[in-house]
Amino acid sequence: LERSDFSGSTFLGELGVRITPQFDVVASVGRVSSSARSVSRTHEPFEGEPPIAQSTSLRRTPVTATLKYYPLSRGHSIGSNAWIPARLTPFIGIGGGALNYDLEQSGEFVDYQDCDEANVCTVFPATFTSEGWTKTLHVTGGADYWLTTRLGVSAEMRYQWASAPLGPSFLGGFDDIDLRGFQGTVGLSVRF
């Protein structure tokens, strides 16, 4: 499996509060799911048998807070009751929080400890799981494009850092699960 095999759909909700004319604090929760199929590269089944295959799924739920900085003016007031937003408001940000992950790998696996001189090994069915919470940090950048004074479209790119030890199902000196990566989102923004 490659890192790109775990690209998946992202659903994200955010609630932001303006703390100064150029800074917002944004709380968010999301869900990213992906799954991939793989086959053994080191061993092939006997002739006429199906490949030694596995299915791997990974679900991630980040719960984060972000400090967003808007370098350009986000609009201006006309009198005390009218606000005219700038059409385009780019931003950058930094944040962190917690990430819940759920990894499941199911299928047939080669027992490398039980191979004979001809490299014929035992194949066994199993399901391996690892789940839990870990810390996460991220940087972000994007822009809001306001269609009206209250409704806009937001586009954002985020890079997230996170890793966690694999659960007890995974024996044999595996490295931590690497949960870092890019996330791109496009959505609607509503100003209250």
Side-chain angles (χ1 to χ4, degrees), residues 20-179:
T20 72
Q22 291 184 295
F23 286 95
D24 282 3
V25 173
V26 179
S28 65
V29 63
R31 181 75 165 178
V32 182
S33 297
S34 58
S35 62
R37 295 198 45 81
S38 59
V39 296
S40 174
R41 284 192 250 171
T42 59
H43 288 77
E44 293 185 7
F46 293 112
E47 189 173 325
E49 293 183 2
I52 302 168
Q54 307 85 34
S55 175
T56 305
S57 66
L58 178 61
R59 289 173 293 281
R60 292 156 283 176
T61 305
V63 180
T64 61
T66 305
L67 180 64
K68 285 186 178 179
Y69 170 66
Y70 291 83
L72 305 177
S73 171
R74 293 196 264 180
H76 59 277
S77 296
I78 298 177
S80 60
N81 295 325
W83 168 259
I84 306 296
R87 184 68 69 185
L88 183 67
T89 54
F91 61 84
I92 57 173
I94 187 168
L99 176 74
N100 179 262
Y101 68 95
D102 183 1
L103 173 69
E104 181 178 293
Q105 193 169 41
S106 181
E108 293 184 319
F109 298 88
V110 176
D111 184 353
Y112 295 101
Q113 304 298 318
D114 187 30
C115 298
D116 62 18
E117 300 81 30
N119 202 27
V120 175
C121 306
T122 301
V123 175
F124 63 97
T127 297
F128 300 105
T129 61
S130 182
E131 61 183 334
W133 288 89
T134 189
K135 299 176 287 189
T136 180
L137 297 171
H138 64 268
V139 292
T140 185
D144 298 321
Y145 182 80
W146 294 98
L147 305 170
T148 69
T149 57
R150 301 254 182 232
L151 183 65
V153 176
S154 183
E156 180 177 339
M157 284 297 293
R158 177 183 288 200
Y159 189 83
Q160 171 180 280
W161 290 272
S163 66
L166 287 168
S169 292
F170 292 88
L171 299 174
F174 287 96
D175 293 333
D176 288 356
I177 182 171
D178 185 356
L179 299 166

